[in-house]
Short mmCIF file of all heavy atoms in Angstrom, two decimals:
data_model
loop_
_atom_site.label_atom_id
_atom_site.label_comp_id
_atom_site.label_asym_id
_atom_site.label_seq_id
_atom_site.Cartn_x
_atom_site.Cartn_y
_atom_site.Cartn_z
N GLU H 1 21.05 -7.91 1.94
CA GLU H 1 19.93 -8.94 1.89
C GLU H 1 18.64 -8.35 1.42
O GLU H 1 17.66 -9.04 1.29
CB GLU H 1 19.73 -9.51 3.32
CG GLU H 1 21.01 -10.22 3.83
CD GLU H 1 20.89 -10.66 5.29
OE1 GLU H 1 19.83 -11.32 5.56
OE2 GLU H 1 21.67 -10.39 6.12
N LEU H 2 18.58 -7.00 1.20
CA LEU H 2 17.36 -6.42 0.79
C LEU H 2 17.02 -6.76 -0.65
O LEU H 2 17.95 -6.92 -1.48
CB LEU H 2 17.43 -4.88 0.96
CG LEU H 2 17.42 -4.36 2.42
CD1 LEU H 2 17.73 -2.89 2.42
CD2 LEU H 2 16.04 -4.66 3.05
N ASN H 3 15.75 -6.86 -0.96
CA ASN H 3 15.28 -7.39 -2.29
C ASN H 3 14.33 -6.41 -2.94
O ASN H 3 13.23 -6.14 -2.37
CB ASN H 3 14.59 -8.75 -2.08
CG ASN H 3 14.23 -9.40 -3.39
OD1 ASN H 3 13.73 -8.75 -4.34
ND2 ASN H 3 14.51 -10.69 -3.54
N VAL H 4 14.76 -5.72 -4.04
CA VAL H 4 13.92 -4.75 -4.64
C VAL H 4 12.58 -5.30 -5.20
O VAL H 4 11.54 -4.74 -5.01
CB VAL H 4 14.67 -4.06 -5.83
CG1 VAL H 4 13.77 -3.17 -6.70
CG2 VAL H 4 15.80 -3.23 -5.25
N ASP H 5 12.64 -6.51 -5.74
CA ASP H 5 11.39 -7.08 -6.31
C ASP H 5 10.40 -7.41 -5.27
O ASP H 5 9.19 -7.18 -5.42
CB ASP H 5 11.72 -8.39 -7.05
CG ASP H 5 12.57 -8.12 -8.33
OD1 ASP H 5 12.32 -7.08 -8.96
OD2 ASP H 5 13.45 -8.94 -8.67
N ALA H 6 10.93 -7.81 -4.06
CA ALA H 6 10.02 -8.12 -2.94
C ALA H 6 9.43 -6.79 -2.43
O ALA H 6 8.21 -6.78 -2.02
CB ALA H 6 10.73 -8.81 -1.79
N PHE H 7 10.15 -5.75 -2.46
CA PHE H 7 9.66 -4.46 -2.00
C PHE H 7 8.59 -3.93 -2.95
O PHE H 7 7.57 -3.34 -2.56
CB PHE H 7 10.76 -3.43 -1.91
CG PHE H 7 10.34 -2.13 -1.21
CD1 PHE H 7 9.95 -2.11 0.09
CD2 PHE H 7 10.38 -0.91 -1.91
CE1 PHE H 7 9.60 -0.93 0.73
CE2 PHE H 7 10.06 0.28 -1.32
CZ PHE H 7 9.62 0.23 0.02
N LEU H 8 8.74 -4.15 -4.28
CA LEU H 8 7.75 -3.75 -5.22
C LEU H 8 6.48 -4.60 -5.10
O LEU H 8 5.36 -4.09 -5.23
CB LEU H 8 8.33 -3.80 -6.66
CG LEU H 8 9.29 -2.78 -7.11
CD1 LEU H 8 9.94 -3.15 -8.46
CD2 LEU H 8 8.56 -1.45 -7.20
N GLU H 9 6.62 -5.87 -4.75
CA GLU H 9 5.46 -6.70 -4.52
C GLU H 9 4.75 -6.20 -3.28
O GLU H 9 3.45 -6.21 -3.19
CB GLU H 9 5.86 -8.14 -4.37
CG GLU H 9 4.72 -9.08 -4.27
CD GLU H 9 3.77 -9.03 -5.37
OE1 GLU H 9 4.20 -8.89 -6.57
OE2 GLU H 9 2.52 -9.09 -5.15
N GLN H 10 5.48 -5.72 -2.28
CA GLN H 10 4.84 -5.17 -1.09
C GLN H 10 4.13 -3.93 -1.40
O GLN H 10 3.02 -3.65 -0.91
CB GLN H 10 6.01 -4.79 -0.05
CG GLN H 10 5.54 -4.12 1.17
CD GLN H 10 6.77 -3.72 2.01
OE1 GLN H 10 7.88 -4.34 2.05
NE2 GLN H 10 6.62 -2.73 2.87
N ALA H 11 4.59 -3.16 -2.36
CA ALA H 11 3.94 -1.91 -2.81
C ALA H 11 2.62 -2.24 -3.48
O ALA H 11 1.57 -1.61 -3.36
CB ALA H 11 4.86 -1.12 -3.71
N ARG H 12 2.66 -3.33 -4.31
CA ARG H 12 1.41 -3.71 -5.00
C ARG H 12 0.38 -4.17 -3.96
O ARG H 12 -0.80 -3.94 -4.15
CB ARG H 12 1.76 -4.76 -6.03
CG ARG H 12 2.66 -4.33 -7.14
CD ARG H 12 2.92 -5.38 -8.20
NE ARG H 12 3.96 -4.93 -9.09
CZ ARG H 12 5.24 -5.39 -9.08
NH1 ARG H 12 5.57 -6.33 -8.20
NH2 ARG H 12 6.14 -4.92 -9.91
N SER H 13 0.84 -4.92 -2.95
CA SER H 13 -0.10 -5.35 -1.94
C SER H 13 -0.70 -4.19 -1.23
O SER H 13 -1.91 -4.22 -0.87
CB SER H 13 0.65 -6.19 -0.87
OG SER H 13 1.25 -7.41 -1.49
N TYR H 14 0.04 -3.13 -1.01
CA TYR H 14 -0.50 -1.94 -0.34
C TYR H 14 -1.57 -1.30 -1.23
O TYR H 14 -2.66 -0.84 -0.77
CB TYR H 14 0.57 -0.91 -0.03
CG TYR H 14 0.09 0.29 0.63
CD1 TYR H 14 -0.01 0.35 2.03
CD2 TYR H 14 -0.25 1.47 -0.07
CE1 TYR H 14 -0.49 1.49 2.71
CE2 TYR H 14 -0.74 2.57 0.61
CZ TYR H 14 -0.84 2.61 1.98
OH TYR H 14 -1.39 3.72 2.62
N ASP H 15 -1.30 -1.23 -2.56
CA ASP H 15 -2.29 -0.74 -3.48
C ASP H 15 -3.55 -1.49 -3.41
O ASP H 15 -4.63 -0.86 -3.41
CB ASP H 15 -1.73 -0.79 -4.92
CG ASP H 15 -0.78 0.36 -5.27
OD1 ASP H 15 -0.77 1.36 -4.52
OD2 ASP H 15 -0.14 0.29 -6.34
N LYS H 16 -3.46 -2.82 -3.29
CA LYS H 16 -4.67 -3.65 -3.35
C LYS H 16 -5.44 -3.39 -2.04
O LYS H 16 -6.66 -3.28 -2.05
CB LYS H 16 -4.30 -5.14 -3.42
CG LYS H 16 -3.74 -5.52 -4.78
CD LYS H 16 -3.29 -6.97 -4.80
CE LYS H 16 -2.66 -7.30 -6.12
NZ LYS H 16 -2.13 -8.70 -6.17
N ALA H 17 -4.72 -3.31 -0.90
CA ALA H 17 -5.34 -3.09 0.42
C ALA H 17 -6.04 -1.73 0.44
O ALA H 17 -7.09 -1.62 1.00
CB ALA H 17 -4.33 -3.23 1.53
N LYS H 18 -5.42 -0.76 -0.12
CA LYS H 18 -5.95 0.63 -0.13
C LYS H 18 -7.22 0.68 -0.98
O LYS H 18 -8.17 1.42 -0.58
CB LYS H 18 -4.85 1.61 -0.69
CG LYS H 18 -5.30 3.04 -0.71
CD LYS H 18 -4.24 3.95 -1.32
CE LYS H 18 -4.00 3.63 -2.80
NZ LYS H 18 -3.11 4.55 -3.40
N SER H 19 -7.28 0.02 -2.10
CA SER H 19 -8.39 0.12 -3.02
C SER H 19 -9.45 -0.86 -2.78
O SER H 19 -10.52 -0.91 -3.47
CB SER H 19 -7.91 0.06 -4.45
OG SER H 19 -7.27 -1.24 -4.64
N SER H 20 -9.29 -1.74 -1.81
CA SER H 20 -10.24 -2.86 -1.58
C SER H 20 -11.52 -2.37 -0.96
O SER H 20 -12.53 -3.03 -1.07
CB SER H 20 -9.65 -3.92 -0.71
OG SER H 20 -9.30 -3.44 0.54
N SER H 21 -11.53 -1.21 -0.28
CA SER H 21 -12.76 -0.70 0.40
C SER H 21 -12.68 0.79 0.58
O SER H 21 -11.48 1.31 0.58
CB SER H 21 -12.95 -1.42 1.72
OG SER H 21 -11.95 -1.01 2.61
N PRO H 22 -13.74 1.44 0.81
CA PRO H 22 -13.70 2.89 1.10
C PRO H 22 -12.87 3.20 2.37
O PRO H 22 -12.23 4.20 2.53
CB PRO H 22 -15.19 3.30 1.31
CG PRO H 22 -15.92 2.29 0.52
CD PRO H 22 -15.16 0.96 0.58
N LEU H 23 -12.98 2.23 3.35
CA LEU H 23 -12.16 2.39 4.60
C LEU H 23 -10.67 2.41 4.31
O LEU H 23 -9.94 3.18 4.86
CB LEU H 23 -12.57 1.28 5.54
CG LEU H 23 -11.80 1.28 6.90
CD1 LEU H 23 -12.04 2.61 7.66
CD2 LEU H 23 -12.22 0.15 7.78
N GLY H 24 -10.26 1.46 3.41
CA GLY H 24 -8.81 1.44 3.05
C GLY H 24 -8.37 2.71 2.44
O GLY H 24 -7.27 3.20 2.74
N TRP H 25 -9.24 3.28 1.58
CA TRP H 25 -8.82 4.53 0.94
C TRP H 25 -8.69 5.65 1.97
O TRP H 25 -7.83 6.50 1.95
CB TRP H 25 -9.92 4.88 -0.14
CG TRP H 25 -9.67 6.19 -0.85
CD1 TRP H 25 -8.94 6.36 -1.97
CD2 TRP H 25 -10.27 7.44 -0.56
NE1 TRP H 25 -8.92 7.66 -2.30
CE2 TRP H 25 -9.71 8.36 -1.43
CE3 TRP H 25 -11.06 7.91 0.51
CZ2 TRP H 25 -10.07 9.71 -1.40
CZ3 TRP H 25 -11.35 9.26 0.57
CH2 TRP H 25 -10.85 10.14 -0.35
N TYR H 26 -9.74 5.68 2.86
CA TYR H 26 -9.70 6.76 3.89
C TYR H 26 -8.54 6.66 4.83
O TYR H 26 -7.92 7.61 5.12
CB TYR H 26 -11.04 6.60 4.73
CG TYR H 26 -11.14 7.54 5.91
CD1 TYR H 26 -11.41 8.86 5.78
CD2 TYR H 26 -10.73 7.10 7.18
CE1 TYR H 26 -11.42 9.73 6.81
CE2 TYR H 26 -10.76 7.96 8.29
CZ TYR H 26 -11.10 9.26 8.13
OH TYR H 26 -11.07 10.15 9.20
N LEU H 27 -8.23 5.43 5.23
CA LEU H 27 -7.12 5.22 6.12
C LEU H 27 -5.80 5.61 5.54
O LEU H 27 -4.86 6.14 6.12
CB LEU H 27 -7.02 3.78 6.70
CG LEU H 27 -8.16 3.37 7.63
CD1 LEU H 27 -8.10 1.85 7.94
CD2 LEU H 27 -8.14 4.21 8.90
N SER H 28 -5.67 5.34 4.16
CA SER H 28 -4.47 5.64 3.47
C SER H 28 -4.29 7.14 3.42
O SER H 28 -3.15 7.66 3.58
CB SER H 28 -4.55 5.07 2.10
OG SER H 28 -3.42 5.48 1.27
N ASN H 29 -5.40 7.90 3.11
CA ASN H 29 -5.28 9.32 3.04
C ASN H 29 -4.97 9.93 4.48
O ASN H 29 -4.20 10.91 4.58
CB ASN H 29 -6.61 9.94 2.55
CG ASN H 29 -6.71 9.81 1.05
OD1 ASN H 29 -5.71 10.00 0.37
ND2 ASN H 29 -7.86 9.49 0.52
N ALA H 30 -5.59 9.38 5.50
CA ALA H 30 -5.37 9.84 6.84
C ALA H 30 -3.85 9.60 7.22
O ALA H 30 -3.20 10.42 7.90
CB ALA H 30 -6.27 9.15 7.83
N GLN H 31 -3.35 8.51 6.77
CA GLN H 31 -1.92 8.12 7.12
C GLN H 31 -0.99 9.15 6.45
O GLN H 31 0.08 9.44 7.01
CB GLN H 31 -1.67 6.75 6.58
CG GLN H 31 -0.34 6.17 6.95
CD GLN H 31 -0.13 4.76 6.39
OE1 GLN H 31 -0.74 4.35 5.47
NE2 GLN H 31 0.80 4.06 6.99
N SER H 32 -1.33 9.66 5.29
CA SER H 32 -0.40 10.51 4.50
C SER H 32 -0.59 11.96 4.77
O SER H 32 0.31 12.79 4.41
CB SER H 32 -0.58 10.26 3.01
OG SER H 32 -0.37 8.87 2.69
N SER H 33 -1.70 12.40 5.28
CA SER H 33 -2.18 13.81 5.25
C SER H 33 -1.10 14.79 5.93
O SER H 33 -1.02 15.96 5.47
CB SER H 33 -3.50 13.98 5.83
OG SER H 33 -3.48 13.61 7.24
#
């Protein structure tokens, strides 16, 4: 039942959320560090 296209759309949403503000960028880096 998993959908690759939906997962890629989820990835694009994450990109948008990350780049929408300095806080989003900071939290993304903190999440990955």
Side-chain angles (χ1 to χ4, degrees):
E1 300 176 49
L2 290 172
N3 185 315
V4 169
D5 292 326
F7 189 64
L8 284 172
E9 186 56 39
Q10 177 184 334
R12 296 183 190 103
S13 298
Y14 183 85
D15 278 348
K16 291 176 185 176
K18 180 182 68 172
S19 59
S20 61
S21 69
L23 179 60
W25 180 86
Y26 173 80
L27 290 174
S28 174
N29 282 320
Q31 186 180 20
S32 302
S33 62

